[in-house]
Amino acid sequence: MINQRIKEMMNRQIKNELESYYIYLSMVAYFHSLNLDGMAHWMRCQAHEEMTHAMKFFDYIIDRGGSVELLDLKQLQTSWNSPAEAWEAAYHHEQFITEKISELMKAIREENEYIAEPLIAWFINEQVQEEADTSKISEQVKLVNESKEGLLLLDRELGTRVFPAGSPLDRLAYQVAN
Ligand code: FEO
């Protein structure tokens, strides 16, 4: 049976991951509005990935005999002044998520809930990647600055991202792919 404090923290983390999904979906719409379809595609893949993250906590709580509580989602930022501002916001959001995952690891150790450690260790590794990706793209967007050619080239490159998992709601698909 899942520890009560860990269950509550994981339910809040489902909300955090769904809010990540929501904010990145807003970025999909924002990038499309600028005809930056490659960036929109990259963010669409990212939004899907965030849904799989939420579902990993969702399934874990169920597997451990806990009750999933879907909390109200907050309306986060929905528009940005430039692509650079949007990518920087994505990087800062990932840093916030890293903080939350670290708090979960600390709580698991305090509560002796070691059975949850492999799941949280997976998320810690994932956050290294998520911060690295958003930080690198954010810096690259700043580098091309006013160059429309540079921005379009970067947009093309980001449009090649592949999201391997099937539906983010299909447990089998996301477990195999992640
Ligand atoms: Fe699920 Fe991007 O953190």
Side-chain angles (χ1 to χ4, degrees):
M1 193 70 172
I2 193 167
N3 169 282
Q4 184 69 12
R5 177 180 168 208
I6 301 303
K7 186 201 76 174
E8 285 168 9
M9 288 180 80
M10 286 192 178
N11 272 316
R12 283 200 296 278
Q13 192 57 25
I14 291 174
K15 170 188 182 308
N16 291 334
E17 301 289 348
L18 290 176
E19 283 175 350
S20 304
Y21 171 83
Y22 219 40
I23 192 170
Y24 294 149
L25 207 53
S26 283
M27 288 186 188
V28 171
Y30 171 67
F31 289 134
H32 276 308
S33 77
L34 300 178
N35 293 312
L36 292 169
D37 292 349
M39 291 190 183
H41 168 80
W42 196 98
M43 272 303 170
R44 203 177 284 251
C45 294
Q46 189 61 31
H48 274 302
E49 202 168 291
E50 298 303 347
M51 181 65 85
T52 69
H53 293 173
M55 295 307 292
K56 277 178 186 282
F57 285 110
F58 185 100
D59 286 331
Y60 182 84
I61 293 171
I62 290 172
D63 286 347
R64 298 285 299 140
S67 54
V68 168
E69 284 168 46
L70 294 177
L71 306 171
D72 285 350
L73 299 184
K74 217 171 29 183
Q75 179 76 35
L76 300 172
Q77 198 170 351
T78 56
S79 69
W80 296 268
N81 291 317
S82 66
E85 193 181 290
W87 283 104
E88 195 166 3
Y91 175 47
H92 288 151
H93 185 71
E94 287 306 329
Q95 289 178 308
F96 164 75
I97 295 293
T98 301
E99 255 178 57
K100 295 292 147 194
I101 297 292
S102 302
E103 285 170 13
L104 256 167
M105 183 62 102
K106 185 167 177 283
I108 277 164
R109 290 178 176 174
E110 285 168 0
E111 300 292 337
N112 297 330
E113 184 86 347
Y114 299 111
I115 197 163
E117 203 162 312
L119 176 73
I120 304 306
W122 183 93
F123 274 98
I124 283 176
N125 281 328
E126 179 70 6
Q127 282 313 115
V128 173
Q129 193 59 48
E130 304 249 307
E131 282 198 30
D133 286 346
T134 48
S135 165
K136 185 189 275 186
I137 298 168
S138 173
E139 290 305 315
Q140 287 175 341
V141 173
K142 279 186 214 151
L143 272 178
V144 300
N145 196 15
E146 299 293 305
S147 159
K148 289 194 171 64
E149 292 86 352
L151 196 62
L152 282 175
L153 269 176
L154 189 55
D155 187 65
R156 291 267 156 79
E157 189 190 320
L158 294 174
T160 62
R161 180 176 177 182
V162 174
F163 179 69
S167 162
L169 298 176
D170 177 349
R171 184 174 191 170
L172 201 57
Y174 73 71
Q175 279 184 343
V176 168
N178 290 299

PDB file of all heavy atoms in Angstrom, residues 140-151:
ATOM      1  N   GLN A 140      20.121  28.203 -28.811  1.00  0.00           N
ATOM      2  CA  GLN A 140      20.249  28.271 -30.274  1.00  0.00           C
ATOM      3  C   GLN A 140      19.331  29.342 -30.858  1.00  0.00           C
ATOM      4  O   GLN A 140      19.708  30.052 -31.781  1.00  0.00           O
ATOM      5  CB  GLN A 140      19.945  26.903 -30.897  1.00  0.00           C
ATOM      6  CG  GLN A 140      21.069  25.900 -30.656  1.00  0.00           C
ATOM      7  CD  GLN A 140      20.753  24.509 -31.157  1.00  0.00           C
ATOM      8  OE1 GLN A 140      19.592  24.158 -31.378  1.00  0.00           O
ATOM      9  NE2 GLN A 140      21.779  23.703 -31.323  1.00  0.00           N
ATOM     10  N   VAL A 141      18.115  29.438 -30.306  1.00  0.00           N
ATOM     11  CA  VAL A 141      17.185  30.472 -30.790  1.00  0.00           C
ATOM     12  C   VAL A 141      17.768  31.854 -30.508  1.00  0.00           C
ATOM     13  O   VAL A 141      17.694  32.760 -31.336  1.00  0.00           O
ATOM     14  CB  VAL A 141      15.780  30.300 -30.159  1.00  0.00           C
ATOM     15  CG1 VAL A 141      14.871  31.463 -30.526  1.00  0.00           C
ATOM     16  CG2 VAL A 141      15.156  28.990 -30.605  1.00  0.00           C
ATOM     17  N   LYS A 142      18.401  32.008 -29.336  1.00  0.00           N
ATOM     18  CA  LYS A 142      19.028  33.304 -29.028  1.00  0.00           C
ATOM     19  C   LYS A 142      20.183  33.587 -29.994  1.00  0.00           C
ATOM     20  O   LYS A 142      20.385  34.718 -30.415  1.00  0.00           O
ATOM     21  CB  LYS A 142      19.567  33.296 -27.591  1.00  0.00           C
ATOM     22  CG  LYS A 142      18.501  33.570 -26.556  1.00  0.00           C
ATOM     23  CD  LYS A 142      19.147  33.702 -25.182  1.00  0.00           C
ATOM     24  CE  LYS A 142      18.215  33.149 -24.121  1.00  0.00           C
ATOM     25  NZ  LYS A 142      18.913  32.603 -22.957  1.00  0.00           N
ATOM     26  N   LEU A 143      20.934  32.528 -30.350  1.00  0.00           N
ATOM     27  CA  LEU A 143      22.084  32.705 -31.246  1.00  0.00           C
ATOM     28  C   LEU A 143      21.662  33.235 -32.612  1.00  0.00           C
ATOM     29  O   LEU A 143      22.324  34.102 -33.176  1.00  0.00           O
ATOM     30  CB  LEU A 143      22.804  31.358 -31.452  1.00  0.00           C
ATOM     31  CG  LEU A 143      23.885  30.967 -30.470  1.00  0.00           C
ATOM     32  CD1 LEU A 143      24.435  29.593 -30.833  1.00  0.00           C
ATOM     33  CD2 LEU A 143      25.015  31.988 -30.469  1.00  0.00           C
ATOM     34  N   VAL A 144      20.560  32.678 -33.146  1.00  0.00           N
ATOM     35  CA  VAL A 144      20.162  33.127 -34.496  1.00  0.00           C
ATOM     36  C   VAL A 144      19.502  34.508 -34.428  1.00  0.00           C
ATOM     37  O   VAL A 144      19.433  35.211 -35.431  1.00  0.00           O
ATOM     38  CB  VAL A 144      19.239  32.119 -35.228  1.00  0.00           C
ATOM     39  CG1 VAL A 144      19.924  30.789 -35.406  1.00  0.00           C
ATOM     40  CG2 VAL A 144      17.902  31.948 -34.546  1.00  0.00           C
ATOM     41  N   ASN A 145      19.044  34.875 -33.251  1.00  0.00           N
ATOM     42  CA  ASN A 145      18.522  36.216 -32.968  1.00  0.00           C
ATOM     43  C   ASN A 145      17.652  36.776 -34.097  1.00  0.00           C
ATOM     44  O   ASN A 145      16.557  36.298 -34.331  1.00  0.00           O
ATOM     45  CB  ASN A 145      19.708  37.130 -32.636  1.00  0.00           C
ATOM     46  CG  ASN A 145      19.246  38.412 -31.971  1.00  0.00           C
ATOM     47  OD1 ASN A 145      18.114  38.496 -31.529  1.00  0.00           O
ATOM     48  ND2 ASN A 145      20.111  39.400 -31.902  1.00  0.00           N
ATOM     49  N   GLU A 146      18.139  37.759 -34.825  1.00  0.00           N
ATOM     50  CA  GLU A 146      17.320  38.429 -35.836  1.00  0.00           C
ATOM     51  C   GLU A 146      17.374  37.720 -37.193  1.00  0.00           C
ATOM     52  O   GLU A 146      16.707  38.146 -38.133  1.00  0.00           O
ATOM     53  CB  GLU A 146      17.804  39.868 -36.031  1.00  0.00           C
ATOM     54  CG  GLU A 146      17.713  40.728 -34.785  1.00  0.00           C
ATOM     55  CD  GLU A 146      16.284  40.998 -34.360  1.00  0.00           C
ATOM     56  OE1 GLU A 146      15.506  41.498 -35.172  1.00  0.00           O
ATOM     57  OE2 GLU A 146      15.949  40.682 -33.206  1.00  0.00           O
ATOM     58  N   SER A 147      18.169  36.671 -37.319  1.00  0.00           N
ATOM     59  CA  SER A 147      18.337  36.045 -38.635  1.00  0.00           C
ATOM     60  C   SER A 147      17.129  35.162 -38.969  1.00  0.00           C
ATOM     61  O   SER A 147      16.929  34.109 -38.368  1.00  0.00           O
ATOM     62  CB  SER A 147      19.613  35.196 -38.642  1.00  0.00           C
ATOM     63  OG  SER A 147      19.536  34.232 -39.670  1.00  0.00           O
ATOM     64  N   LYS A 148      16.346  35.592 -39.959  1.00  0.00           N
ATOM     65  CA  LYS A 148      15.169  34.797 -40.360  1.00  0.00           C
ATOM     66  C   LYS A 148      15.609  33.469 -40.960  1.00  0.00           C
ATOM     67  O   LYS A 148      14.982  32.435 -40.753  1.00  0.00           O
ATOM     68  CB  LYS A 148      14.334  35.580 -41.374  1.00  0.00           C
ATOM     69  CG  LYS A 148      13.611  36.772 -40.761  1.00  0.00           C
ATOM     70  CD  LYS A 148      12.547  37.288 -41.726  1.00  0.00           C
ATOM     71  CE  LYS A 148      11.649  38.342 -41.091  1.00  0.00           C
ATOM     72  NZ  LYS A 148      12.361  39.578 -40.716  1.00  0.00           N
ATOM     73  N   GLU A 149      16.717  33.506 -41.713  1.00  0.00           N
ATOM     74  CA  GLU A 149      17.236  32.266 -42.325  1.00  0.00           C
ATOM     75  C   GLU A 149      17.622  31.276 -41.225  1.00  0.00           C
ATOM     76  O   GLU A 149      17.301  30.091 -41.304  1.00  0.00           O
ATOM     77  CB  GLU A 149      18.464  32.548 -43.198  1.00  0.00           C
ATOM     78  CG  GLU A 149      18.201  33.327 -44.448  1.00  0.00           C
ATOM     79  CD  GLU A 149      18.223  34.848 -44.204  1.00  0.00           C
ATOM     80  OE1 GLU A 149      18.298  35.278 -43.013  1.00  0.00           O
ATOM     81  OE2 GLU A 149      18.151  35.596 -45.181  1.00  0.00           O
ATOM     82  N   GLY A 150      18.323  31.770 -40.200  1.00  0.00           N
ATOM     83  CA  GLY A 150      18.752  30.908 -39.095  1.00  0.00           C
ATOM     84  C   GLY A 150      17.561  30.294 -38.383  1.00  0.00           C
ATOM     85  O   GLY A 150      17.546  29.103 -38.064  1.00  0.00           O
ATOM     86  N   LEU A 151      16.543  31.111 -38.168  1.00  0.00           N
ATOM     87  CA  LEU A 151      15.353  30.628 -37.456  1.00  0.00           C
ATOM     88  C   LEU A 151      14.638  29.552 -38.284  1.00  0.00           C
ATOM     89  O   LEU A 151      14.204  28.523 -37.752  1.00  0.00           O
ATOM     90  CB  LEU A 151      14.407  31.805 -37.188  1.00  0.00           C
ATOM     91  CG  LEU A 151      13.329  31.557 -36.140  1.00  0.00           C
ATOM     92  CD1 LEU A 151      13.938  31.277 -34.775  1.00  0.00           C
ATOM     93  CD2 LEU A 151      12.371  32.750 -36.040  1.00  0.00           C
TER      94      LEU A 151
END
